[in-house]
């Protein structure tokens, strides 16, 4: 199964790029965070040396289809901080529109540091594959890309978890250990410590966490889907992410056809790497 680096590879095409959407990254279609990761990788190609991602604000215009997708990047402002408009399109129709800020500024501010939730290390937790196999439940193919260790595993029919947030350690299966002694995957040394490539992972996990954050609070099985409508991510620029990432996701507002969620991604050593939020649009399966 191709890793994230291979699945977001870009080839020059006209004034922009072309990527091939891999069905291994589908949930209800290509995952929204996977689409956002491609946008970030395209900006990485254009950003000036020394820049890192600062924020992403994106709109999912329509569901993408596996196959070719065109990526256009327009520089609106360049300098110490830069703003790029990114459009991902298929067959001439926009799929995803994003505004991505980058910066090389690093002036110190008065420190305000959040505290990571007190959770067990990933090695102390059972894998989600094993836990679901015990229940006779098969994962969507997408989850083959990730090794997950939930802090509180529950299905909707189970008793409520002791905390409302859905907390889960996640590791991309094909990713280098970023200096932690873990064997690297096909991504190789290129990915270790690169702020854009770390941002691709955190943005993907923030988008991924909103629906589970909602589902984690439910007391019965939902008979609807909730594809992403928009996504906002703030990258905190706190150094290399490492391999295991803690997703702390919650969705405490839903109704009128919308689900709202917020997610923070933490490094193993307790640094807040990114914070984000988004809306999901409730839809019911046809037929």
């Amino acid at each position: 199964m191709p890793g994230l680096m291979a699945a977001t590879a870009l080839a020059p095409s006209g004034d922009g790029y072309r990527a091939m959407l891999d069905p291994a990254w589908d949930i209800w279609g290509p995952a929204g965070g996977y689409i956002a990761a491609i946008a970030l990788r395209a900006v990485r190609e254009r950003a000036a040396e020394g820049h890192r991602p600062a924020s992403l604000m994106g709109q999912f215009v329509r569901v993408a289809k596996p196959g070719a997708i065109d990526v256009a990047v327009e520089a609106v402002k360049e300098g110490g901080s830069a703003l790029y408009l990114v459009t991902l399109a298929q067959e001439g129709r926009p799929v995803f529109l994003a505004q991505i800020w980058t910066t090389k500024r690093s002036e110190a501010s008065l420190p305000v540091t959040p505290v990571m939730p007190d959770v067990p290390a990933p090695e102390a937790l059972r894998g989600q594959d094993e836990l679901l196999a015990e229940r006779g439940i098969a994962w969507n193919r997408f989850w083959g890309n990730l090794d997950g260790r939930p802090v509180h595993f529950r299905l909707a029919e189970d008793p409520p978890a002791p905390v409302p947030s859905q907390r889960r350690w996640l590791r991309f299966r094909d990713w280098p250990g970023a200096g932690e002694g873990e064997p690297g995957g096909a991504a190789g040394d290129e990915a270790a410590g690169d702020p854009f490539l770390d941002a691709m992972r955190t943005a993907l996990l923030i988008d991924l966490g909103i629906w589970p954050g909602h589902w984690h609070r439910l007391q019965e099985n939902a008979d609807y889907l909730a594809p992403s409508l928009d996504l906002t991510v703030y990258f905190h620029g706190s150094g290399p992410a490492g391999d295991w990432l803690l997703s702390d996701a919650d969705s405490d507002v839903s109704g009128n056809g919308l689900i709202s969620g917020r997610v923070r991604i933490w490094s193993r050593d307790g640094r807040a790497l990114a914070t984000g939020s988004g809306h999901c649009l409730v839809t019911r399966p046809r037929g």
Side-chain angles (χ1 to χ4, degrees), residues 84-161:
Y84 298 90
L85 301 183
V86 186
T87 301
L88 276 66
Q90 288 183 317
E91 299 174 353
R93 305 172 71 199
V95 168
F96 182 61
L97 306 175
Q99 301 172 356
I100 298 176
W101 276 100
T102 71
T103 188
K104 65 177 182 180
R105 297 175 66 94
S106 58
E107 287 81 356
S109 61
L110 294 175
V112 178
T113 305
V115 177
M116 189 175 87
D118 184 11
V119 299
E123 293 81 8
L125 299 167
R126 298 176 66 194
Q128 59 191 19
D129 293 349
E130 177 186 355
L131 292 165
L132 282 174
E134 286 183 352
R135 299 287 192 99
I137 299 172
W139 273 117
N140 182 293
R141 178 183 177 185
F142 172 92
W143 289 99
N145 298 297
L146 298 166
D147 181 4
R149 308 286 174 89
V151 175
H152 301 291
F153 176 77
R154 68 177 294 267
L155 302 178
E157 62 268 20
D158 294 336

Side-chain angles (χ1 to χ4, degrees), residues 34-266:
Y34 169 44
I35 298 293
I38 293 173
L40 282 161
R41 187 158 182 178
V43 170
R44 175 180 181 259
E45 298 297 315
R46 295 289 182 89
E49 184 177 356
H51 274 238
R52 65 183 187 277
S55 64
L56 175 150
M57 298 180 184
Q59 312 294 324
F60 297 98
V61 181
R62 52 180 51 85
V63 178
K65 299 179 292 186
I69 191 164
D70 294 311
V71 186
V73 181
E74 176 187 352
V76 178
K77 174 191 178 295
E78 294 184 297
S81 297
L83 175 63
Y84 298 90
L85 301 183
V86 186
T87 301
L88 276 66
Q90 288 183 317
E91 299 174 353
R93 305 172 71 199
V95 168
F96 182 61
L97 306 175
Q99 301 172 356
I100 298 176
W101 276 100
T102 71
T103 188
K104 65 177 182 180
R105 297 175 66 94
S106 58
E107 287 81 356
S109 61
L110 294 175
V112 178
T113 305
V115 177
M116 189 175 87
D118 184 11
V119 299
E123 293 81 8
L125 299 167
R126 298 176 66 194
Q128 59 191 19
D129 293 349
E130 177 186 355
L131 292 165
L132 282 174
E134 286 183 352
R135 299 287 192 99
I137 299 172
W139 273 117
N140 182 293
R141 178 183 177 185
F142 172 92
W143 289 99
N145 298 297
L146 298 166
D147 181 4
R149 308 286 174 89
V151 175
H152 301 291
F153 176 77
R154 68 177 294 267
L155 302 178
E157 62 268 20
D158 294 336
V163 295
S165 295
Q166 198 251 25
R167 293 170 177 165
R168 174 169 48 186
W169 288 103
L170 292 158
R171 176 172 61 177
F172 288 73
R173 294 190 191 276
D174 191 6
W175 202 264
E180 297 180 7
E182 298 288 343
D189 293 337
E190 178 187 8
D194 184 305
F196 280 93
L197 303 183
D198 279 343
M200 287 162 54
R201 288 189 295 156
T202 55
L204 190 154
L205 294 183
I206 285 172
D207 177 76
L208 181 66
I210 294 170
W211 167 254
H214 168 71
W215 179 83
H216 187 73
R217 284 178 168 265
L218 300 181
Q219 301 302 306
E220 58 185 283
N221 286 317
D223 63 351
Y224 48 84
L225 308 178
S228 299
L229 189 64
D230 54 42
L231 176 68
T232 298
V233 182
Y234 302 107
F235 305 104
H236 303 316
S238 53
D243 62 343
W244 281 108
L245 305 174
L246 178 67
S247 170
D248 184 7
D250 192 18
S251 174
D252 58 357
V253 180
S254 64
N256 297 316
L258 296 171
I259 295 169
S260 177
R262 57 191 181 276
V263 185
R264 177 164 284 168
I265 304 297
W266 300 86

